[in-house]
Amino acid sequence: MEKILVAGAGIAGLGAALALSGGAREVIFLDRDPPPPDTSPEEAFTQWERRGATQLRHSHAFLGRLTSLIRDRYPDLMKELLAEGTRLFGFAEGLPPTLENKYTAEKGDEDLTLLFSRRTTLELVIRRYAAKLPGVRFITDAGVRGLITRREGGKLIVEGLKVERNGAVEEMRADVVIDATGRNTVFPEWMRAEGVAVREESSPCGILYFTRHYRLRDGQEEPPRDGVPGGGDLGYIKFGVFIADNRHFSVTLATPEIETEMRMAVMKPEVFDAVCMALPGAARWMNPERAEPVSAVYSMGSLQNVWRHYMKDGAPQVLNFFPLGDAAVRTNPLYGRGCSSGFVEAHILRETLDATADPAERAKMYEREFEKAIRPYFDSMVKLDLQAIRRAENERNPDYKPRLKARVMKSFADDGLMPAQRAHVSVSRAMSRIFHMLDEPTAFLKRPEIVARILATWATPKSVKEARDYYPPKMGPERDEMFARLNLAH
Ligand SMILES: Cc1cc2nc3c(=O)[nH]c(=O)nc-3n(C[C@H](O)[C@H](O)[C@H](O)COP(=O)(O)OP(=O)(O)OC[C@H]3O[C@@H](n4cnc5c(N)ncnc54)[C@H](O)[C@@H]3O)c2cc1C
């Protein structure tokens, strides 16, 4: 029986637990954090200490790619998630009023489904479910401290891990080792110390993340779905409302790194709430009559898009080792793709291990399939983040005059793409498939009927009443006005 050691039992580790379970393999998960409390989602949210996953209490969107994978492959797990108060939210439910009467269901729409859950609830339920799976064992309070390796034929062969438990370091051997230790993985350093040239692509996300959680007050309901978007990008700030389980929701504000005054200010709960109250899409949710705050403001920085390569010139340098989740690729949290990616990668790994027992073939196949599945999203995020960084810089420059190309791109987004999504179900569906990681980011450009609709919308002047109806309401004040309201220097 193949023995697998997985360092890290966060989201990607849990994906691996589901994918590699079944009893044909012995899979042991080592996590330095304590186990989840054997209790309710409420207590998990307030009590589960997870120093190893500091993003745990930030807003998390769980996209269709993840949701449909759980629904199709692990229906009992989906039942347990729903029984604990999480919710499914389908494509039709999210359509703006302009599209409600135009909608007819199409095959594939069922995959455009969000799972509304706090991350603590999702982890708690999956962990509980995974612990009962054949072949799976979790060891907690176990810090992975190093590799056990040997050299053969010019390659590094990974044979196990050094693990610290109760103050002592023990050696645990395995046929396969997986790094699922997340964004701050130390494995690349350990590998480099062993002579492996680990290459990193890295590009800034350019934002800082601020999240506060709220709960609907007794007797209050969610605001009506009347077309006011629950998220948006104002250049100097981005915001999003994340609906969760058991009448909880959170609001995230993302500030450009260069907006120093704003990012310092929103760490204060009263300023955070004041900013949200100035953004109609957030205010309607966290209005004090409707909801009460249930957490501090959590902040997070050092956000980077990072891709780590363990192959060199198409050849593996390390055998019996696979990076998974954020340890392999980190992406901008704003796109909500990290958890879906981790689950997809875990299932690619399962297919790889099933396909061949040859370590070099495994390394090559994993790399190939991983690239195919994740690379298009990564490249698109890197590009969009660099554009957003430039936009934020320009927002602060009173002398900035956009060039023709920038004006055309902005007009295409604001007067073409955006209203076309509110005018045509087909365009909304095409963009939703990208959002949910079911189609690659540029897929819509390869569909002439979608491009034609966007161009026709773009060509219709805003002065035409019908065209005007498809524009979303204003997302919030301009930068100067917001800064003045908050008494911030600008
Ligand atoms: C602010 C923020 C918001 C995000 N929002 C979203 C979102 O909306 N949707 C989405 O899909 N993704 C989101 N993400 C991304 C998502 O959180 C990650 O992609 C996901 O958690 C990656 O899973 P992972 O298992 O690789 O890492 P993690 O979930 O971070 O888990 C790593 C695990 O490894 C353990 N560990 C670390 N070091 C060791 C060690 N030496 N020994 C033993 N154990 C160790 C830790 O304790 C932890 O349990 C967000 C990320 C951030 C930063």
Side-chain angles (χ1 to χ4, degrees):
M1 197 193 276
E2 196 162 45
K3 182 171 172 184
I4 302 181
L5 283 180
V6 185
I11 288 287
L14 291 174
L18 300 178
L20 300 174
S21 66
R25 299 183 172 96
E26 184 189 4
V27 198
I28 300 174
F29 293 83
L30 304 157
D31 202 290
R32 68 180 189 197
D33 278 349
D38 186 16
T39 174
S40 67
E42 292 319 304
E43 280 161 10
F45 180 69
T46 50
Q47 289 171 19
W48 192 6
E49 216 192 298
R50 293 283 270 108
R51 278 185 300 156
T54 40
Q55 76 276 34
L56 189 78
R57 287 182 178 79
H58 276 279
S59 303
H60 271 68
F62 301 112
L63 305 181
R65 189 71 182 264
L66 174 70
T67 308
S68 42
L69 205 155
I70 295 178
R71 179 201 61 203
D72 296 346
R73 297 199 192 207
Y74 312 102
D76 291 343
L77 169 59
M78 184 54 89
K79 276 191 211 140
E80 287 188 23
L81 283 164
L82 297 176
E84 285 293 1
T86 71
R87 241 167 82 198
L88 294 172
F89 185 80
F91 176 60
E93 288 170 90
L95 288 175
T98 47
L99 292 180
E100 269 165 13
N101 297 329
K102 299 183 186 171
Y103 176 72
T104 43
E106 273 189 15
K107 193 169 163 1
D109 285 358
E110 67 284 3
D111 293 339
L112 305 174
T113 300
L114 287 163
L115 181 70
F116 287 159
S117 175
R118 281 168 289 182
R119 158 111 183 218
T120 41
T121 306
L122 183 96
E123 269 205 54
L124 176 75
V125 178
I126 304 185
R127 182 80 166 260
R128 220 161 44 195
Y129 176 88
K132 288 182 267 172
L133 294 172
V136 170
R137 185 151 61 100
F138 290 95
I139 303 179
T140 49
D141 299 300
V144 175
R145 297 287 172 250
L147 298 165
I148 307 170
T149 59
R150 72 186 156 83
R151 280 243 155 227
E152 192 182 290
K155 302 209 185 322
L156 191 74
I157 318 285
V158 178
E159 296 192 311
L161 293 170
K162 293 179 189 150
V163 183
E164 187 178 344
R165 291 167 76 189
N166 305 322
V169 176
E170 65 182 284
E171 294 201 341
M172 295 179 77
R173 296 195 172 256
D175 304 300
V176 170
V177 167
I178 297 172
D179 175 13
T181 56
R183 59 205 299 273
N184 296 321
T185 176
V186 199
F187 277 72
E189 282 169 38
W190 294 335
M191 294 282 179
R192 285 190 189 109
E194 303 259 9
V196 177
V198 186
R199 184 167 67 85
E200 265 183 24
E201 291 172 71
S202 161
S203 178
C205 301
I207 51 163
L208 289 107
Y209 228 68
F210 301 90
T211 296
R212 192 173 199 201
H213 290 258
Y214 303 84
R215 185 173 43 216
L216 292 170
R217 291 185 189 278
D218 291 345
Q220 292 289 331
E221 293 304 324
E222 293 175 1
R225 290 189 200 293
D226 53 9
V228 177
D233 182 358
L234 290 91
Y236 66 93
I237 202 160
K238 299 170 173 58
F239 78 99
V241 176
F242 293 71
I243 309 172
D245 55 286
N246 296 298
R247 296 174 63 77
H248 282 257
F249 66 92
S250 56
V251 181
T252 285
L253 299 176
T255 65
E257 280 175 346
I258 54 166
E259 288 287 9
T260 316
E261 305 80 7
M262 177 65 97
R263 69 187 229 208
M264 302 297 284
V266 293
M267 286 173 70
K268 298 188 198 104
E270 63 280 11
V271 180
F272 185 96
D273 284 4
V275 172
C276 294
M277 287 304 285
L279 306 169
R284 61 215 314 262
W285 279 89
M286 38 77 62
N287 174 339
E289 282 169 20
R290 191 188 295 278
E292 59 182 338
V294 292
S295 78
V297 177
Y298 301 110
S299 61
M300 193 142 186
S302 307
L303 299 172
Q304 298 269 329
N305 298 297
V306 179
W307 191 300
R308 300 189 174 93
H309 298 269
Y310 287 89
M311 304 262 286
K312 197 172 169 207
D313 305 327
Q317 308 178 81
V318 191
L319 298 180
N320 302 337
F321 168 78
F322 300 91
L324 189 65
D326 281 12
V329 175
R330 259 166 73 183
T331 53
N332 187 337
L334 268 183
Y335 296 87
R337 289 173 175 159
C339 297
S340 292
S341 300
F343 263 60
V344 167
E345 294 154 18
H347 288 79
I348 290 174
L349 182 56
R350 157 78 191 255
E351 280 155 28
T352 304
L353 299 184
D354 282 354
T356 171
D358 181 291
E361 285 309 311
R362 282 179 165 182
K364 283 192 250 176
M365 179 173 167
Y366 183 63
E367 166 93 358
R368 190 175 60 241
E369 297 304 316
F370 191 120
E371 276 267 345
K372 218 192 291 170
I374 307 297
R375 176 55 77 169
Y377 300 100
F378 182 82
D379 286 348
S380 145
M381 277 180 273
V382 166
K383 201 165 137 198
L384 291 173
D385 287 349
L386 293 176
Q387 280 171 10
I389 291 170
R390 278 198 297 275
R391 181 176 168 201
E393 283 164 4
N394 296 335
E395 284 269 342
R396 291 169 63 95
N397 175 4
D399 301 326
Y400 171 69
K401 298 267 179 303
R403 292 213 199 133
L404 180 65
K405 188 176 164 205
R407 289 206 305 271
V408 171
M409 295 302 290
K410 183 167 177 350
S411 167
F412 177 75
D414 292 353
D415 306 316
L417 197 52
M418 177 69 88
Q421 287 183 72
R422 294 165 75 91
H424 303 286
V425 175
S426 58
V427 179
S428 178
R429 181 181 284 120
M431 300 315 292
S432 191
R433 289 191 63 80
I434 295 166
F435 169 75
H436 283 284
M437 287 186 80
L438 297 165
D439 285 346
E440 294 183 3
T442 53
F444 75 105
L445 294 172
K446 294 170 196 148
R447 293 178 55 191
E449 78 284 8
I450 301 296
V451 174
R453 292 219 144 112
I454 297 170
L455 292 179
T457 307
W458 195 19
T460 312
K462 208 175 175 180
S463 52
V464 176
K465 155 116 182 50
E466 208 195 62
R468 219 165 35 236
D469 289 346
Y470 294 124
Y471 279 79
K474 194 164 184 258
M475 283 190 217
E478 303 293 331
R479 182 176 182 275
D480 285 356
E481 190 189 331
M482 178 70 97
F483 276 58
R485 275 197 205 190
L486 301 173
N487 283 328
L488 298 179
H490 58 291

